[in-house]
Amino acid sequence: MIQTDICIIGAGPVGLFSVFEAGLLKLRCHVVDALPQVGGQLSEIYPKKPIYDIPGFPEVKAQELVDNLMEQIKPFNPTFTLGERLDTLEKTATGFQLKTSDGTEIDCKVVVIAGGLGCFEPRKPPIVDIAKFEGKGVHYMVKDPETFRDKNVILAGGGDSALDWTIELSKIAKKITLIHRNETFRGAPDSAEKVFDLAKEGKINLLLKSNLTSVSGNGKLNAVKVQGADKSELELEADYLIPLFGLSPKLGPIADWGLSIHKNQIEVNTTDYSTNIPGIYAIGDINTYPGKLKLILCGFHEGALMAQSAFKHIYPDKHLSFKYTTVNGIESF
C-alpha cells in the first residue's frame, strides 16, 4: 500500500502545482490520474495550444507549461499512479484509504480532488459483449507499448491517438491493422500521410470506410469482425484491440463519495476549498462556488490555500509560519 500525506486526484496543472505548494510545507504527495500521462487536458487534448493568461508568460504552449510544472515539483519527489481511475474511498482512523480500478491502494491523511472536468473515460464502441474482453485483449489506452510486441494488434479511430499509436506500434507489433469509418483522418496531416505510406509499403493493414461489429474469444480476445462500406464482413485474428475514439469527461465514482455536488461540480468553502467532508478538498475546474472562474491561475490560487489548510488538518497541534520562497528558498526531500 502506498503511504502519503496527500493523495491528489488529477495530474493536470492545478494538481501538479498543488504538489509544489504542499512540498513547501514538507507534505508528501501521491498523484493519481486515469490518463496514462501527466498534464490532464493540456497534454491529452491540446498540447500545442498556446495559453495567454499564465502570469509571467505572455504565451506558453500547454505541454510546455506541464513540463515546467514537472520540473518545478522535482525537489519534492512526488509519486504517481497513472492510467488508473480512483474507484473507492473509505474513512480510516488516520485519514482515508483509496483504491484504483487496477487495485492500487493508497493510504493518506488528506484527499485533494483536482480532477478538472472529471475523470476522462474512453468512448467505447457500441459492440455487444466488448466489456467481457476489457483487460483481456481490449484496451482503451496504451500504457506500455511493449505489451504489444510481436502481437496481432487492431486499432480503431481517426484522430491523433489512433494515427500516432499506429505509427509507433508498427515498429514492434507482429501485425498492425487500423480501422477507420471514413476515408480521411481527423488527426495531423503529417501523421495521416505517414500512415498511408506505411499501408502502401505493406507495413500495416489499413481498412477505411469500415466499422467494428463484434469481438469474440474464449476468455481472451482472439478475433474481431469488421464491416465494410459494401456491408461485407471480414473476420480478423487479434491478440489486442485498441479502440481510440476519444475521451469523455465524467465525474465517475467520485459522485458516490458523499460529497456535496451541484451540477456535476463539487461545492467548497472558499476559505480553504474544503468540501463537506473534513480532510477532502476540491480545487480547479471540478469545484464550484459563487464567482467561480474556470482559469488555471485561479486553480493555482486554490491549491495554495488548500495546502495551508491541509497542513493544519494533518498537524493540528503544530504552528504553521508562513515563509516566502524568495527568503527561504526551496528545501527538497
Side-chain angles (χ1 to χ4, degrees):
M1 184 180 294
I2 296 166
Q3 305 278 344
T4 189
D5 293 320
I6 299 176
C7 178
I8 298 175
I9 305 171
V14 172
L16 294 178
F17 187 68
S18 295
V19 173
F20 177 80
E21 288 297 321
L24 293 176
L25 304 177
K26 299 196 179 303
L27 298 176
R28 294 187 179 276
C29 294
H30 184 78
V31 186
V32 182
D33 201 298
L35 294 174
Q37 74 283 319
V38 302
Q41 297 176 62
L42 271 63
S43 296
E44 182 66 21
I45 301 175
Y46 46 83
K48 296 180 181 178
K49 180 180 177 181
I51 301 172
Y52 300 104
D53 57 1
I54 303 299
F57 290 90
E59 177 185 332
V60 61
K61 294 288 194 297
Q63 187 59 51
E64 183 185 354
L65 177 60
V66 172
D67 294 342
N68 288 345
L69 286 164
M70 287 296 289
E71 185 67 27
Q72 189 174 21
I73 66 177
K74 259 186 187 178
F76 306 122
N77 294 310
T79 50
F80 294 86
T81 296
L82 301 174
E84 299 180 29
R85 183 186 66 191
L86 264 174
D87 279 355
T88 63
L89 175 145
E90 291 183 12
K91 189 80 176 72
T92 65
T94 57
F96 303 92
Q97 186 173 317
L98 303 119
K99 193 171 184 179
T100 73
S101 52
D102 286 13
T104 302
E105 294 184 333
I106 302 152
D107 185 80
C108 63
K109 300 178 180 71
V110 162
V111 174
V112 176
I113 304 170
L117 295 175
C119 174
F120 281 93
E121 296 187 0
R123 293 191 176 97
K124 302 179 182 182
I127 297 175
V128 176
D129 291 337
I130 193 168
K132 291 182 181 179
F133 297 100
E134 290 173 359
K136 300 175 183 177
V138 174
H139 295 262
Y140 298 105
M141 61 180 66
V142 178
K143 292 174 68 174
D144 180 8
E146 283 299 314
T147 302
F148 309 101
R149 183 175 289 277
D150 300 323
K151 303 294 183 181
N152 287 330
V153 182
I154 296 176
L155 298 101
D160 286 314
S161 292
L163 294 172
D164 292 344
W165 282 119
T166 295
I167 295 166
E168 289 303 311
L169 294 180
S170 70
K171 301 170 185 176
I172 60 172
K174 179 182 177 182
K175 184 178 180 181
I176 287 285
T177 300
L178 175 60
I179 300 165
H180 183 39
R181 63 185 179 181
N182 295 322
E183 287 184 301
T184 58
F185 292 100
R186 301 186 311 276
D190 180 61
S191 298
E193 186 177 348
K194 288 179 182 177
V195 165
F196 283 123
D197 288 342
L198 287 170
K200 289 175 185 175
E201 295 165 8
K203 295 180 179 178
I204 67 165
N205 184 23
L206 182 59
L207 300 179
L208 300 176
K209 298 179 73 175
S210 302
N211 288 287
L212 296 169
T213 57
S214 68
V215 291
S216 59
N218 185 15
K220 190 182 186 305
L221 181 74
N222 60 34
V224 170
K225 278 189 179 178
V226 181
Q227 185 180 75
D230 59 359
K231 304 300 180 182
S232 63
E233 284 204 327
L234 176 67
E235 185 170 83
L236 304 171
E237 289 186 11
D239 296 309
Y240 291 99
L241 168 65
I242 311 174
L244 296 169
F245 297 153
L247 299 167
S248 176
K250 296 180 181 178
L251 200 53
I254 290 173
D256 302 321
W257 290 0
L259 296 162
S260 179
I261 295 171
H262 178 68
K263 294 183 178 179
N264 283 327
Q265 294 172 305
I266 302 168
E267 295 181 320
V268 294
N269 180 342
T270 52
T271 301
D272 55 4
Y273 302 96
S274 56
T275 68
N276 60 304
I277 300 178
I280 301 182
Y281 299 80
I283 57 176
D285 287 357
I286 203 162
N287 74 16
T288 185
Y289 53 85
K292 169 72 178 183
L293 289 177
K294 291 189 175 185
L295 296 174
I296 293 173
L297 66 92
C298 292
F300 288 168
H301 159 79
E302 295 167 8
L305 294 188
M306 172 280 300
Q308 300 286 315
S309 179
F311 181 93
K312 295 171 187 173
H313 180 85
I314 296 170
Y315 301 111
D317 299 325
K318 281 190 178 182
H319 175 68
L320 177 60
S321 58
F322 183 77
K323 298 177 180 179
Y324 293 104
T325 56
T326 50
V327 176
N328 294 280
I330 297 172
E331 297 179 23
S332 61
F333 57 80

